[in-house]
Amino acid sequence: GITSTEDGGQYSDIQVQFFATSREELPKPRKKGDIIRLHRVKVGRWEGKPQLNAKIGTIMQGGMAGGFSRCQFCVFDSRVADGVENTGFEPYQRSSASFTFDSVNDKERIQGLRRYLASIGGEGALVDDTFSIPITRITMLKNYDLHVKVLDVVRDKGKVTLVVWDGSDARPFVPGMNLNDAPGDGNTCHYWMPCGQDFPVEEGTFAGEEKPPGLGTAFPVLLRQFDIDAEDLPAKGQWIRLRQLSSWVKNGQLQGLFVQSSKWAPAEPNQAWLTASRERDERRQVSLWANEQVGAGNNFRSEGLGAFEMPGQVPFGLTRTMFENQPLRSIREILMAPAPNRHRCLVRIIQHFPKDVHDLCAESAEPPAKRKKGAKGKSAEEDKKWTKWEWNLRLLIEDATGKMTVNVAPEDGREFFPHIEPCDLWDNDGVFVKLEKTMRALTVKDDRAPGEGWVQMCVMS
């Protein structure tokens, strides 16, 4: 541990902020676990913890312009081959042409750090940045740091969006809600998918390449042209750290914002996030914001998963679905699966079409088979007797991975709405009121309760 002489606190790690006029002047560790020696850093505090600030390289402003910063560094390899005793204490990078080295004290410190690294299991055992949070914990109250994998770098109409992933789910908001956004900025929702939605995926589409993750939000981080140069963008598939991001809610979608104070840097994969994601996948916990047992008839309550630590949410359901033996799938997994196929999902219903509840039932296009010959042309009462009404609607659904429109077949509608018989809703006020209340309960969301309003649904592709 590290002991602070300022407050006497014990800390497992301390963050160092480097400031330089050129990227070439910054330290470039070859790997996690390497050793850096720092001189004349300034001690500050951030988020209740000590933080070191190091200004290095050429001074560009003030009375000292043209001179060099007092802070200096040397970077040493954490592993040295057997029998290479002397070169083991030669830094592979340094901030000045010459440096001092205490052959007793400095040598012992470096050796001690190398022994410590070996004793804890090597660089794979090092703790992650304690300021990084999973996507699921992002709030609108303050800036945040992420440790994520880049799924895609999307360029569209002069804008760049980093699509990043850490295996967790972004908080759902009320559809249509806008928070902290700039009116007329031209930005919209961005739901990334590894494949199109208009045509079914063929068998073997993802063969020979790393298959995109099935669970977890593909989180959009918006960059403006002046935020970052095109040549400085991370690559698809790369793990990075994003520092000091801001966020807004655009039409109900939480989005990250790369602002003036934001930075990014390459990083090793986050093993804690990957472990939590694997465990989540094994349990088929397709949503971190909803109880997966909607309609299952028990009192199961989700207590979160590993590093994500999501609170349990009591869901709300008015519907019924068949095929509860099918494993739960995310919308992204459904769209990546070859058709035809049957899937069970856990979603929020965002909207219904037609929008007028009166039109959610329609007369059957074909007359009933049992209608007798010669009945045609009889009274209106007789025609009404043989009229058949069926469900006539589409639903826009969403989960943490995206949105999808589903058509409700007549026979499936009877199963999905088991307590409502399709009929002429213009002539049956009682049924209309009951259905209107049901659709409002399914589509109207309360931002104070993001865990409510989730339902199970069985869909065919």
Side-chain angles (χ1 to χ4, degrees), residues 201-277:
V201 172
E202 296 181 358
E203 193 73 43
T205 297
F206 300 104
E209 63 178 81
E210 184 180 358
K211 189 173 182 179
L215 302 181
T217 297
F219 185 64
V221 178
L222 280 60
L223 291 82
R224 297 162 295 182
Q225 287 181 324
F226 55 83
D227 285 328
I228 192 168
D229 294 331
E231 59 270 19
D232 289 333
L233 291 172
K236 180 179 178 181
Q238 183 179 5
W239 277 86
I240 62 172
R241 293 187 191 276
L242 289 163
R243 178 170 171 77
Q244 285 295 291
L245 293 181
S246 182
S247 57
W248 66 19
V249 175
K250 195 73 172 180
N251 197 26
Q253 183 189 42
L254 179 66
Q255 299 178 347
L257 300 176
F258 197 96
V259 295
Q260 188 172 4
S261 61
S262 302
K263 301 287 187 296
W264 79 270
E268 295 293 321
N270 189 314
Q271 297 303 324
W273 284 187
L274 290 172
T275 298
S277 178

Side-chain angles (χ1 to χ4, degrees), residues 275-343:
T275 298
S277 178
R278 284 193 297 268
E279 293 175 356
R280 176 186 178 187
D281 186 74
E282 290 170 359
R283 293 174 52 177
R284 286 284 88 201
Q285 191 174 10
V286 297
S287 172
L288 294 179
W289 287 95
N291 186 324
E292 296 176 6
Q293 302 299 315
V294 178
N298 60 33
N299 295 320
F300 174 86
R301 185 179 175 86
S302 175
E303 297 297 340
L305 181 62
F308 300 144
E309 295 179 7
M310 279 305 306
Q313 297 285 355
V314 179
F316 170 85
L318 294 174
T319 60
R320 187 174 68 191
T321 185
M322 297 185 292
F323 309 109
E324 291 191 354
N325 60 316
Q326 292 289 329
L328 288 167
R329 302 292 182 192
S330 70
I331 289 177
R332 188 185 303 137
E333 289 175 318
I334 293 173
L335 293 175
M336 290 195 302
N341 219 322
R342 177 182 287 116
H343 311 272

Side-chain angles (χ1 to χ4, degrees), residues 14 47 68 98 107 144 150 170 172 214 224 230 255 266 269 288 300 304 332 352 355 370 378 398 413 440 445-446:
I14 289 180
E47 298 285 338
F68 292 92
S98 61
K107 180 177 178 179
Y144 51 91
V150 180
R224 297 162 295 182
Q255 299 178 347
L288 294 179
F300 174 86
R332 188 185 303 137
H352 58 77
K355 293 185 178 181
K370 62 181 180 180
K378 291 191 176 182
E398 75 164 5
R440 282 184 56 82
K445 312 302 179 188
D446 184 350

